Amino acid sequence: MTKSPKELGEKEALDKTRAPGEIPLSEIEAIINGKHTNPFAVLGVHQIGEGFIARCFIPGAEEAIVLTLDGKDLGELKLRHEAGYFEGMVAVTSQQPLRYRAARGDVEWAVTDPYSFGPVLGPMDDYLLREGSHLRLFDRMGAHPLKHEGVEGFHFAVWAPNAQRVSVVGEFNNWDGRRHVMRLRQDTGIWEIFAPDVRAGAAYKYEIVGADGTLLPLKADPYARRAEMRPNTASVTTPELEQKWDDAAHREHWEKADHRRQPISIYEVHAGSWQRRDDGTFLSWDELASQLIPYVTDMGFTHIEFLPITEHPYDPSWGYQTTGLYAPSARFGEPEGFARFVNGCHKVGIGVILDWVPAHFPTDAHGLRHFDGTALYEHADPRQGYHPDWNTAIYNFGRVEVLSYLINNALYWSEKFHLDGLRVDAVASMLYLDYSRRHGEWVPNEYGGRENLESVRFLQKMNSLSYGAHPGVMTIAEESTSWPKVSAPVHEGGLGFGFKWNMGFMHDTLSYMGRDPVHRKFHHSEITFGLVYAFSENFVLPISHDEVVHGKGSMIAKMAGDDWQKFANLRSYYGLMWGYPGKKLLFMGQEFAQWSEWSEERALDWNLLQYHMHEGMRRLIRDLNFCYRSKPALHARDCEGEGFRWLVVDDDDNSVYAWLRMSPGEKPVAVICNFTPAYRENYRISLPNAGRWREILNTDAEIYGGSGKGNGGRVQAVDAGGTISAEVTLPPLATIMLELE
């Protein structure tokens, strides 16, 4: 409201009578109205000549007495504005932290002055951040408990270079943006403040005024290590993670191992729907640990891969639209619970992989979108910064601070939570500028091409630094195109991933298994073609959540034939997959042939295990895992051509395939698949060695729900004039494995 001439005259008169060191009323009003962009220049303790003046803003206070931290009374300050602004000379010999005893009527309370503390971040932080080489940002940015200049509290730091003002607001200041206006570090655009007396468990956000003076929606902390349970969206102060780790042996094993030559069988899990409490609510991490870890251990899987467990507002996004990359979701309890879960896995030799989403982020008002009023984390041009498939924003990989935010996050999970790896989501969308875009809807790179060179450099740097800092981790790319050298080292021109999902294997083989067996002979190459490129990358064979949702049907529902044939087909398929070169990944519920599609809204149909066919499928997966792990021939050369040789490749009339899996110095294993319902006796197959071959697995065994046909445990390979072969019984719709005795 416009001031009258009389009011303006009174203000000028008051300003003329102010004591030395007292600031003009215009500055006072800027502070109490939240318009002052640098209160540190005014509030706190400042030297005036040979003395010191204290200035503070305590909303609602009528009196303010200055105290030292140890309680010494330094006198009463003068109230200069009824909103709670005080000034006065204090008997101190240097700038130092102060407390105030504030009063209004009979009510008294204590306030420690946040503006009387110096900065926490230093020039080295500024230098490393600008250079893009700061690898401990997760210890400097966000909210961290700290004893600073003798006082306990939390230090807050956030990047918002284009903001006019940034305040941290929360329960500790009644969400009042005038109380903790932050200090701007000019060189980096980082705002910071030490907020004394703030305790762990306090909800907070950032109140940001854009460069044009617009007050933005309150923003969650990009580096928050804990968040509120949805639908609430605030960040939460939390102690530094403390976990007594008992995983030295586990980590040492993987640091020394060549991942390509280790058995890796991954159980993909959505933490919110693997199992639930009787009332339908989520299990905590400790409850999950007591049930999931023993189950995975008994099933023989080597790793658990979680769909994103970072904080996200919308359950049906499954975590892929995250608003808190550094915060384990509050759905399952505090971050310490997740650390205990990982520790429990490691104690029994189970690795933990996190599905990680650095490609895009949701546009929720409290998230990263237009964080400081500008396109900060995303590109301003929608042709580069908007993802049409998911209605999300795309990270600006050309900005040093954004790369540091994401790379530090990758390092954070390995550093703080001892995670064994990251499965990087939507890599294909990151690599191509024209991904899901028509002509004219994308911006070519500097050479006129469609490759996103900034994204390539980001992925290479992320992988190099991840493997450099944590040699035991593995990174896995979900990449669905023919981009070369995804899993080749960066120094050889590759992206630097440890593994790549083999989407071609999944697509072709599932297409084949969905066909009526009578038609399979016309599509024989859907099984054989994958071996043309099977060793061009280090592959993981994925049967993931994406294959059992949105009308695609569960794995058992995809199979051709009547119910018996569906089970037989699925058993034979799993036999093929575990005998095929490449690491394994299977989504939860598919190990016991759940009929219904997966839904994040409910637990798996565990009741099916009371039926023999479903329990048989579970036992098969268990036996496949232990067979795969115990036989080096089946895993030690998963990624190398010397570990594979065709035995039968062209018997399309009978839809039979056979190959040999090998490893130097180990017994070879023959894998034989019969993908028709025909029972074939005396099927002659060439083998590399004469002698007895033991049938180590038969998917048609009665214990798995099959018909019980087989070879009585052994076959005899004989040398007939230089040609070694055996007559083998092939059960209907089955895979068998033979090992040389």
Side-chain angles (χ1 to χ4, degrees), residues 260 479 481-489 492 494 497-502 529-539 581 638-641:
R260 299 172 307 152
E479 205 286 308
T481 74
S482 57
W483 186 282
K485 295 187 174 183
V486 171
S487 57
E492 294 181 2
F497 284 95
F499 294 94
K500 170 182 172 175
W501 271 19
N502 191 337
F529 178 68
L531 272 301
V532 172
Y533 59 86
F535 308 106
S536 61
E537 300 276 3
N538 302 326
F539 279 122
D638 264 334
C639 305
E640 298 160 82

Side-chain angles (χ1 to χ4, degrees), residues 141-145 154-157 204 206 221 223-225 237-238 240:
M141 301 293 289
H144 292 273
F154 267 79
H155 174 249
F156 297 87
Y204 73 97
Y206 294 114
D221 189 346
Y223 284 87
R225 295 173 295 118
T237 58
T238 189
E240 298 298 343

Side-chain angles (χ1 to χ4, degrees), residues 183-261:
R183 174 192 281 116
L184 174 64
R185 303 184 69 82
Q186 296 283 352
D187 289 344
T188 59
I190 290 176
W191 299 74
E192 68 161 328
I193 192 170
F194 173 70
D197 304 327
V198 173
R199 297 290 180 255
Y204 73 97
K205 284 186 175 180
Y206 294 114
E207 181 179 283
I208 300 176
V209 176
D212 61 357
T214 301
L215 182 64
L216 304 176
L218 293 181
K219 294 290 188 177
D221 189 346
Y223 284 87
R225 295 173 295 118
R226 188 174 179 181
E228 286 187 308
M229 176 70 165
R230 56 100 175 96
N232 297 326
T233 57
S235 304
V236 178
T237 58
T238 189
E240 298 298 343
L241 186 69
E242 292 187 8
Q243 169 63 43
K244 181 182 179 298
W245 292 100
D246 305 301
D247 61 352
H250 174 87
R251 300 190 89 193
E252 183 180 0
H253 166 78
W254 286 105
E255 285 174 2
K256 294 179 178 178
D258 181 346
H259 288 66
R260 299 172 307 152
R261 294 182 172 181

Side-chain angles (χ1 to χ4, degrees), residues 17 20 28 30 68 109 137 160 177 231-232 326 353 374 485 542 553 560 601 640:
T17 62
I28 295 175
T68 61
W109 66 97
L137 282 177
N232 297 326
Y326 286 80
I353 301 167
T374 67
K485 295 187 174 183
E601 296 180 349
E640 298 160 82

Side-chain angles (χ1 to χ4, degrees), residues 522-550:
F522 303 111
H523 302 275
H524 199 71
S525 64
E526 288 183 324
I527 300 296
T528 61
F529 178 68
L531 272 301
V532 172
Y533 59 86
F535 308 106
S536 61
E537 300 276 3
N538 302 326
F539 279 122
V540 172
L541 312 181
I543 300 300
S544 74
H545 63 281
D546 278 331
E547 306 316 311
V548 294
V549 291
H550 300 325

